[in-house]
Amino acid sequence: MATVTHHCLLNLPHIPPPINRPKLPLPPSSLPSLSLSRQSPLSASLSLSPATIHSPSPSPTSFKSEDTESIIDGLFYLLRLSSQYDDVEVTKAVHASFLKLSEEKTKLGNALISTYLKLGFPRDAFLVFVSLSSPTVVSYTALISGFARLNLEIKALKVFFKMRSEGVIEPNEYTFVAVLNACVRSCRFSLGVQIHGLIVKSGFLSSVFVGNSVMSLYSSDGVVKVFDEMPQRDVVSWNTVISCLVKEGLFGEAFELFCEMNRVEGVEADSFTVSTLLSVSDSMRGRELHGRAVRMGLRQELSVSNALIGFYGKCGEIKKVESLYEMMSVRDGFTLTEMITAYMAFGMVDSAVEMFEKIPEKNNISYNALIAGFCRNGYGLKALRLFTEMIQRGVELTDFSLTSAVDACGLVSEKKVSEQIHGFCVKFGCASNPCIQTALLDMCTRCERMTDAEEMFELWPSNLDCSKATTSMLGGYSRNGLPEKALSLFHRTLREEKLVLDEVSLTLIIAVCGTLGFGQMGDQIHGYALKGGYSSDIGLGNSLISMYSKCFHFNDAIKVFNTMREHDVVSWNSLISCYILQRNGDEALAIWLRMNKEGIKPDTITLALVISSYRYTESNKLSTCRDLFLSMETIHGILPTTEHYAAYVRVLGHWGLLEEAEETVNSMPFQPEVSVLRALLDSCRVHSNTSIAKRVEKLILSTKPDNPSEYILKSNIYSASGLWHRSEVIREEMRERGYRKHPSRSWIIHGNMIHSFHARDTSHPQEKDIYSGLEILIMECLKAGYEPDTEFVLQEVDELMKKSFLFHHSAKLAVTYGILTNKSRGKPVRVVKNVMLCGDCHEFYKYVSVVVKREIVLRDSSGFHRFVNGKCSCKDLW
C-alpha cells in the first residue's frame, strides 16, 4: 500500500478536523481520483490544485478488495465535509467514485442521498436512489424526509406509495414520521388519517417519536385524543398539545394541561412550554410563569426572555421590558422585534425606530412590526415609505405586510395613493385574500371612495365572513356624512344575518344614532347591549355617553357614566363634551377638577375640550384658561397642537380679545393651519372687526387647501368679496381633485323615521304642506320684526332671488315640518343640522319661537341652541 505523502490526491494530512469531532483515518492512496468540474470552495480551502484534482483515475477493477472498506470510509468522510462546507461539487465527485464501486454500497448510497437532499439537490438524490440494487428502509426514509423538507411533498408521498406497493420493505418509525410530515405540509389530512390507522395497525403508536408526529395532523380535539391514547409521552408530547390548544384559543385548557404536566414525574417544562404559555398569559399567570422560569433556570433562555418582553409589553410595564432587555446576555432579531412592538404600544416611536436600525439582517417580520407600529400610532405616511423600502430591497411581502400598507393608506386618506395600493394588491393576486379584502374595503371608506366600497360590498364572496365588511361599511357611512345609509344597512344586514352584533358593531351603530340624534333607536340598541352582556365594555359605555349627549338626553348620558364600572380618559372626555354641547362650561370645568383630584392623566383631547369650555363660563376665568394653555407642556407633558391653538383662539375671540388672539396665531411655533385661522376669522365676524378679518382672510387665501372644508372656506371668502370668478376657479380645482362638499342638511326624527331636507328641497311626500306652512311662518315672522339678511347668500344673483334662496334653507324647511307634525305644545321641536347654522336661520328661529310660542331646540356642529321667547341659549355667540 502506498504511503501518504504531501503530494497525495487530496493532501489530506492538512485538512483540519471538524470541531468537536475525532480526526478520521486518512483514506488510502488507492482511492479513485475525484474529478471535480470546477474549483470548488472546499477544494480551494484544502489547497487543492486543478492539476491534482484532475489526475488520471485508476480503473475500478484495480481496487483490491481489502481496500474497499478504507475507500468507503474516505468517501463517507468527504461527504461529511461537503455537507459541512455546503459544497455540492465534492458530493458529485464522491457520487462518481460511488458509481465505480463494484461491491455492495447501500450505506454509502444512503449517505449520498441524505447529503444531496441537505444541499438542495433532490434530482441527484433520486438518481442515487434508483441506482441502488437493494434499497433499505433507510434509503426510502431519507428520500421521503428530504423531499418533504424541500417542499416536494407529492414526490415524497409517491416514494412512500412505491415502498408500500412493492411490499418488500416495511416502514419503520422514522418512515412514518417523514410521511406524516409530508401529509401535514401538503395539507393532505385525510391521507394522514389513513396513515395514522396504518401506524396503529403496525404497532408504532407506542413510539413517542411517532405519536408526537401523529398529533400534528389534528386540531385540538383530535390532538387530545391521540395524546390520551399514547402509552408513553415526553416533553415534546405535552408541548404539542399545549401549543395546539393555544393556537385554537383554548387558553384555559392549555393552562390546565400545564398544571397536569407539572404533576408528572420525569417530565419537566422547557423553554418552549414557558414561552408558548407566556404569549397568551394574563397578568397573574404570566408573573407565575416568570417566577417558575427563574426557578427552573430558564431565565437566560433566549426564547423565554423574548416571550417575557412580549408579555410585559402587553401588561403596559415598559420599565420592566427595558430591564429585561438590558439583562439579556444574548439577543437576536426576534428580541429587537419584540422591543419594537413594545415601544410602539407605548407610543415611543423614536425608540422603536432605533431598535429597528439595530437589527443586522432585517426580514419581513421586523419590517411588519415597524409598519404596524407606525399605523397604530397614526403615522400612515411613514408606514407607506417603509413599505416602499421593503419592495425596493426585495424583502418578501406577506399578507400582514399588505394589510398594514392598506391600513396606512386609510390613515393618509389620499384617494390616488389608495388606488395605487389597491392596484398593487390586485396585480399580485392578493386582493382576494380575506384579510386584505376586508382591509381594502375599509381603506376605500376612508379615502373618499364610498362608491368603490359599495361595489366591493355588494360583490362580497358568500364563502367569506360578511360581518367585518358590514362593520367597515357602517363606519364608512358614518365618517362620510351618510348616517341614514348606515342605519339602513344596519337593518338590512341584521335581517339577512350578515352582521354579528358585538362590541365593535354596537359601538358603531350607537355612534350613528348619536350623529342622527335618533334617541329612540339608541335606547333600543342600549337595551340589546345590556341583554347581550356588553354593559362592562368601556368603549361601548363611552359611545353611549356620546350618543345620549347628542340626542338631547343629557341626564341619561350622566347616568351611563355613573353606572360604568371602569372609566378611561375617553369616558371623562365624553362627559366633558356632554356639558360643552350644552354650552355649560362651569359643569365641564367641574369634571376637569374632579379628574385632577382623582389623578386621571389627561390626553391631548382632554386639554382641547377643557380649553374650549372657557367659552361658556364667566370672563373672569379667562386668566385660568390662559395659564392652562401656557403650562400644557410643563405640567401635563403635552405640546400644544393645532387643535389646542384653535380652541384657545376661539376662547380669546369669544371674549373679544381679538388682538391677543391674532398675536397668539402669529407667535405659533409652527405654520398655523386653516382651522386656527378660521377660528380667528369667525370671531372677527361676531365682533365686526373688519381690519383683523382682512388680514386673516389674506393668510387663508395664501394657503393651499388640503380638504373640502378648506376649499369651501376659500371659495366663500372670494364670494363674500364679490370675486365670483375666483370663487368658481377654486370650486373647479376642488372638483378636479375629486373632492366633494357634503351638502348642508337638516332633519327631524318623527314616527321613528328620519325626515331630511336640503336647501330648496322638494322631495318630501308632504312638500306642498311644508312650503305652504313655511310661507305662513315667514309672513308671521316678518310681521314680528324679522329681517332677512342676504349677506348669507353667497351666489351671484339679484336681491329678490337671494331672499328666495334664504327663505328655503334646509333649517327653515325642517323646523316647519317639525311644527306641523309635533302638535304637543309641551314638547319642544327638535331639529338636527350637519353644519353650523347660518346667521339668518338663527335669527329666524328666534322669531319662530315667539310666533308659535314653542321651544325649539337645534343641534348644529357648534352644540345645542335652545330658542325660547325670542332668545337663544348661545347668547348669539356660536
Side-chain angles (χ1 to χ4, degrees):
M1 184 181 293
T3 57
V4 177
T5 69
H6 287 292
H7 301 285
C8 71
L9 182 63
L10 290 178
N11 204 10
L12 288 176
H14 294 287
I15 299 175
I19 297 171
N20 297 328
R21 292 185 186 179
K23 188 173 180 180
L24 295 175
L26 300 180
S29 58
S30 58
L31 176 66
S33 170
L34 301 185
S35 183
L36 301 182
S37 62
R38 62 171 175 81
Q39 180 78 358
S40 72
L42 179 56
S43 63
S45 68
L46 301 177
S47 304
L48 303 181
S49 66
T52 308
I53 293 172
H54 293 288
S55 57
S57 301
S59 169
T61 55
S62 65
F63 297 167
K64 297 179 181 179
S65 59
E66 61 266 22
D67 293 337
T68 302
E69 188 176 341
S70 296
I71 292 168
I72 291 175
D73 285 346
L75 292 173
F76 270 118
Y77 184 83
L78 291 174
L79 281 178
R80 282 192 284 272
L81 284 176
S82 67
S83 177
Q84 181 183 341
Y85 286 92
D86 290 326
D87 194 332
V88 73
E89 293 302 322
V90 172
T91 310
K92 288 181 177 180
V94 172
H95 188 178
S97 296
F98 163 79
L99 293 173
K100 295 173 185 176
L101 293 172
S102 58
E103 297 186 19
E104 179 52 49
K105 50 198 178 183
T106 304
K107 286 186 179 180
L108 182 60
N110 294 342
L112 257 175
I113 291 169
S114 296
T115 305
Y116 268 132
L117 290 167
K118 184 180 178 184
L119 297 175
F121 290 84
R123 184 175 178 277
D124 299 88
F126 188 71
L127 290 174
V128 175
F129 177 78
V130 297
S131 71
L132 294 176
S133 58
S134 303
T136 63
V137 68
V138 177
S139 315
Y140 278 101
T141 303
L143 200 61
I144 294 167
S145 178
F147 278 166
R149 194 170 57 251
L150 294 172
N151 300 321
L152 299 169
E153 295 88 356
I154 303 303
K155 289 185 181 292
L157 293 172
K158 285 181 179 179
V159 173
F160 179 74
F161 293 146
K162 180 180 185 304
M163 177 186 183
R164 292 293 299 158
S165 64
E166 289 177 354
V168 177
I169 298 169
E170 290 296 322
N172 62 13
E173 60 264 42
Y174 298 101
T175 317
F176 280 125
V177 169
V179 77
L180 283 171
N181 184 33
C183 290
V184 171
R185 290 171 69 99
S186 61
C187 298
R188 281 168 166 72
F189 297 109
S190 57
L191 177 60
V193 172
Q194 293 178 42
I195 291 170
H196 180 190
L198 183 61
I199 289 168
V200 173
K201 187 177 178 181
S202 305
F204 281 108
L205 196 60
S206 59
S207 165
V208 178
F209 186 45
V210 176
N212 293 341
S213 292
V214 169
M215 283 194 286
S216 64
L217 282 171
Y218 297 99
S219 58
S220 57
D221 291 342
V223 169
V224 172
K225 187 177 179 182
V226 173
F227 179 78
D228 290 339
E229 291 172 355
M230 288 173 65
Q232 291 183 326
R233 305 160 186 159
D234 60 8
V235 68
V236 176
S237 315
W238 290 90
N239 284 346
T240 302
V241 186
I242 290 171
S243 177
C244 179
L245 293 171
V246 165
K247 283 177 184 175
E248 298 198 19
L250 302 170
F251 307 143
E253 290 86 339
F255 278 99
E256 284 175 14
L257 200 66
F258 174 66
C259 293
E260 186 182 333
M261 176 186 180
N262 291 326
R263 293 192 291 268
V264 177
E265 281 189 39
V267 178
E268 193 173 60
D270 60 9
S271 57
F272 183 87
T273 324
V274 174
S275 56
T276 299
L277 290 171
L278 275 171
S279 66
V280 295
S281 292
D282 56 24
S283 179
M284 186 178 72
R285 282 172 170 167
R287 292 172 203 281
E288 288 176 0
L289 281 169
H290 187 179
R292 185 181 288 274
V294 172
R295 291 193 298 274
M296 293 166 61
L298 299 174
R299 169 62 191 81
Q300 291 301 319
E301 287 286 338
L302 186 59
S303 62
V304 173
S305 296
N306 290 341
L308 283 169
I309 288 174
F311 164 70
Y312 283 109
K314 286 188 296 183
C315 289
E317 298 186 32
I318 192 63
K319 295 295 181 187
K320 189 73 173 177
V321 168
E322 290 178 327
S323 173
L324 284 164
Y325 177 78
E326 293 300 327
M327 289 167 62
M328 290 176 70
S329 55
V330 180
R331 299 164 187 152
D332 61 2
F334 191 73
T335 312
L336 297 170
T337 302
E338 286 284 6
M339 289 299 294
I340 290 169
T341 304
Y343 278 134
M344 284 298 191
F346 288 93
M348 301 168 68
V349 177
D350 292 338
S351 299
V353 172
E354 191 180 322
M355 282 292 167
F356 180 77
E357 296 300 332
K358 287 182 181 179
I359 300 176
E361 294 183 10
K362 300 174 181 67
N363 56 18
N364 54 18
I365 298 173
S366 49
Y367 270 100
N368 288 346
L370 194 61
I371 291 174
F374 279 143
C375 290
R376 180 173 185 170
N377 287 278
Y379 293 96
L381 201 55
K382 286 187 176 183
L384 286 175
R385 284 173 183 159
L386 194 65
F387 177 72
T388 305
E389 183 184 310
M390 276 185 82
I391 297 170
Q392 291 170 344
R393 294 193 175 185
V395 180
E396 182 188 0
L397 297 178
T398 64
D399 294 345
F400 190 84
S401 315
L402 289 168
T403 304
S404 296
V406 172
D407 289 343
C409 272
L411 289 170
V412 174
S413 298
E414 280 283 346
K415 185 178 180 181
K416 288 184 178 178
V417 176
S418 77
E419 288 170 343
Q420 289 176 344
I421 289 289
H422 200 153
F424 182 89
C425 293
V426 172
K427 182 180 177 182
F428 283 86
C430 304
S432 59
N433 176 286
C435 293
I436 296 174
Q437 198 167 4
T438 305
L440 284 170
L441 176 67
D442 190 65
M443 176 192 72
C444 289
T445 68
R446 296 174 186 274
C447 298
E448 298 188 356
R449 294 173 58 195
M450 280 307 297
T451 304
D452 294 335
E454 286 172 335
E455 188 177 325
M456 286 179 69
F457 183 72
E458 292 305 323
L459 297 173
W460 200 257
S462 57
N463 61 323
L464 294 183
D465 178 23
C466 195
S467 186
K468 287 183 180 178
T470 304
T471 303
S472 289
M473 288 299 293
L474 289 173
Y477 282 134
S478 180
R479 277 190 300 275
N480 287 276
L482 301 166
E484 293 103 321
K485 281 196 170 187
L487 207 58
S488 174
L489 179 68
F490 172 72
H491 286 302
R492 175 164 70 91
T493 51
L494 212 55
R495 284 195 308 270
E496 296 171 356
E497 297 183 348
K498 290 182 178 179
L499 177 64
V500 176
L501 287 178
D502 56 11
E503 298 96 321
V504 178
S505 56
L506 286 169
T507 299
L508 273 173
I509 201 62
I510 285 170
V512 168
C513 291
T515 301
L516 290 168
F518 204 157
Q520 285 177 295
M521 176 65 70
D523 276 335
Q524 290 178 19
I525 305 293
H526 188 185
Y528 181 90
L530 290 172
K531 289 177 184 176
Y534 299 114
S535 58
S536 60
D537 184 77
I538 296 178
L540 188 65
N542 297 339
S543 189
L544 284 167
I545 296 169
S546 178
M547 183 269 291
Y548 281 124
S549 301
K550 293 176 181 178
C551 292
F552 315 89
H553 301 164
F554 307 114
N555 291 334
D556 289 330
I558 296 163
K559 184 179 177 182
V560 170
F561 179 87
N562 290 334
T563 55
M564 286 172 68
R565 296 176 190 171
E566 292 180 65
H567 302 110
D568 58 10
V569 70
V570 179
S571 315
W572 293 93
N573 291 347
S574 300
L575 191 58
I576 293 172
S577 295
C578 172
Y579 287 113
I580 290 176
L581 281 172
Q582 300 174 61
R583 306 181 195 277
N584 190 339
D586 291 330
E587 287 296 332
L589 290 175
I591 299 298
W592 167 239
L593 289 173
R594 186 175 156 194
M595 280 183 73
N596 289 329
K597 285 179 182 177
E598 296 187 21
I600 309 297
K601 185 177 171 59
D603 63 5
T604 182
I605 297 171
T606 315
L607 294 180
L609 289 170
V610 173
I611 291 168
S612 296
S613 65
Y614 282 95
R615 290 170 64 193
Y616 311 119
T617 58
E618 300 299 323
S619 59
N620 58 7
K621 293 183 179 178
L622 190 57
S623 59
T624 312
C625 176
R626 190 180 290 111
D627 292 341
L628 173 64
F629 178 76
L630 296 175
S631 64
M632 278 176 57
E633 186 179 1
T634 54
I635 294 179
H636 301 290
I638 296 173
L639 281 168
T641 64
T642 293
E643 288 72 23
H644 298 111
Y645 275 99
Y648 184 55
V649 166
R650 283 194 184 279
V651 171
L652 293 174
H654 179 85
W655 295 109
L657 302 176
L658 298 175
E659 289 78 10
E660 184 180 347
E662 186 180 22
E663 186 183 335
T664 301
V665 172
N666 293 334
S667 62
M668 284 175 65
F670 49 85
Q671 189 71 24
E673 292 186 19
V674 173
S675 59
V676 181
L677 298 173
R678 183 170 195 159
L680 182 53
L681 183 61
D682 289 343
S683 300
C684 290
R685 285 174 178 166
V686 169
H687 295 283
S688 303
N689 190 318
T690 55
S691 58
I692 294 178
K694 285 180 180 178
R695 290 197 292 270
V696 176
E697 285 176 352
K698 191 175 180 180
L699 284 172
I700 291 172
L701 294 174
S702 67
T703 62
K704 186 172 178 62
D706 279 335
N707 55 60
S709 65
E710 291 178 13
Y711 273 102
I712 296 299
L713 175 61
K714 202 168 180 178
S715 172
N716 287 347
I717 289 172
Y718 281 129
S719 297
S721 304
L723 300 170
W724 306 107
H725 173 68
R726 291 190 181 182
S727 173
E728 184 53 38
V729 168
I730 294 295
R731 288 180 180 268
E732 182 59 35
E733 184 184 329
M734 178 181 170
R735 285 190 285 270
E736 285 175 1
R737 289 195 64 180
Y739 291 139
R740 64 182 182 87
K741 177 191 174 186
H742 292 306
S744 170
R745 295 188 303 117
S746 304
W747 60 87
I748 293 269
I749 307 292
H750 174 68
N752 280 335
M753 291 180 66
I754 302 158
H755 299 266
S756 183
F757 301 89
H758 296 280
R760 303 187 297 281
D761 198 341
T762 58
S763 62
H764 196 278
Q766 294 172 259
E767 172 236 335
K768 289 184 179 179
D769 293 338
I770 294 167
Y771 273 83
S772 298
L774 178 57
E775 196 173 320
I776 296 168
L777 205 54
I778 290 170
M779 291 297 294
E780 292 299 319
C781 288
L782 288 169
K783 288 178 187 176
Y786 162 62
E787 293 182 9
D789 189 349
T790 55
E791 283 188 13
F792 291 97
V793 180
L794 300 176
Q795 278 116 326
E796 193 178 8
V797 293
D798 60 38
E799 198 69 15
L800 189 63
M801 187 61 72
K802 283 185 178 182
K803 285 186 178 181
S804 175
F805 285 172
L806 207 59
F807 288 155
H808 300 107
H809 274 188
S810 65
K812 293 183 175 76
L813 293 170
V815 75
T816 303
Y817 179 74
I819 293 167
L820 289 172
T821 54
N822 186 350
K823 304 293 185 182
S824 175
R825 289 196 169 272
K827 291 178 68 176
V829 177
R830 289 173 174 166
V831 181
V832 183
K833 188 169 180 61
N834 65 335
V835 295
M836 198 176 293
L837 190 69
C838 81
D840 181 73
C841 287
H842 190 272
E843 195 68 15
F844 179 76
Y845 270 48
K846 291 197 299 186
Y847 281 97
V848 170
S849 69
V850 173
V851 168
V852 299
K853 298 177 182 178
R854 299 280 297 276
E855 178 186 348
I856 302 168
V857 182
L858 177 137
R859 193 195 84 205
D860 68 359
S861 58
S862 73
F864 284 96
H865 300 261
R866 271 186 79 238
F867 298 93
V868 181
N869 297 325
K871 292 183 179 179
C872 179
S873 58
C874 74
K875 300 175 184 176
D876 297 343
L877 297 170
W878 79 102

